[in-house]
Amino acid sequence: MNKGHVVEEGAVVFERILPATPEKCWAFLTETSRLTEWYGEGVIEPREGGAVNFMNGHIRGVVTGWRPEKFFAHTWNVFSPGETVSAWPVSYLEFTLAAEGQNTKLTLTHRPIFKEVQPQTMMGWHTFLDMLDAGISGAAVAPRDTYMQKNAVTYGVDLSNLKR
């Protein structure tokens, strides 16, 4: 009999205070019409077991947690055009929302993230959260590249050499 062993896995975690109620934040995270304001094209079936499909099938998953205005989680798998089986392993994305006065504390956790793509993943989520914050605040959301350029410098990412 073989004994089990521990595998160290990395996670990316962000915490943001957003200037809105959990109800409004939930809408931005889960409603198709609001997703386009910060993430891009996407569809989420609003229930555990529901399908998740972003960027024309580039990101696909299944809803694993659905507690409105509190917790939303889904699997995360990256597909290249035409792929029916991803070359990447499945990872897990969680959003937790907690009221803080007039605001909401959002905690995003994405795991596991391989060491070689951690800076790129952090840059990506930082970018999307900047866009989410702008959208929720009612500010004009700049094109994604604007945020990516700034965040690439922060995380030391070469945008011309992204891992796909």
Side-chain angles (χ1 to χ4, degrees):
M1 176 162 80
N2 293 331
K3 288 178 64 177
H5 61 281
V6 174
V7 176
E8 298 289 329
E9 293 184 329
V12 170
V13 179
F14 282 92
E15 293 179 337
R16 288 272 178 117
I17 302 298
L18 299 173
T21 64
E23 179 182 32
K24 184 175 181 180
C25 293
W26 181 262
F28 270 81
L29 292 175
T30 63
E31 293 177 8
T32 300
S33 63
R34 303 318 292 262
L35 284 169
T36 58
E37 296 178 48
W38 69 279
Y39 188 82
E41 270 187 49
V43 177
I44 299 167
E45 291 180 357
R47 61 180 173 78
E48 286 189 11
V52 174
N53 189 315
F54 298 126
M55 301 173 160
N56 295 316
H58 176 59
I59 305 297
R60 298 179 218 160
V62 176
V63 175
T64 58
W66 187 266
R67 293 192 298 277
E69 301 174 24
K70 292 181 177 37
F71 181 75
F72 170 50
H74 62 85
T75 60
W76 177 277
N77 213 341
V78 179
F79 292 81
S80 292
E83 280 186 331
T84 56
V85 176
S86 174
W88 294 90
V90 175
S91 60
Y92 302 87
L93 183 62
E94 299 175 351
F95 294 97
T96 302
L97 302 173
E100 287 204 358
Q102 301 289 325
N103 300 314
T104 300
K105 179 180 180 181
L106 174 132
T107 303
L108 176 152
T109 305
H110 191 171
R111 68 169 72 89
I113 304 298
F114 296 116
K115 192 170 194 81
E116 61 269 13
V117 294
Q118 286 173 359
Q120 179 176 319
T121 301
M122 291 178 73
M123 178 217 45
W125 282 121
H126 196 137
T127 294
F128 285 123
L129 290 174
D130 286 349
M131 295 171 73
L132 174 67
D133 198 343
I136 283 176
S137 299
V141 179
R144 186 178 302 154
D145 280 354
T146 302
Y147 301 97
M148 283 182 69
Q149 294 291 332
K150 175 185 71 129
N151 293 324
V153 172
T154 300
Y155 294 101
V157 172
D158 177 0
L159 290 173
S160 66
N161 193 26
L162 296 176
K163 305 246 190 291
R164 302 276 181 198

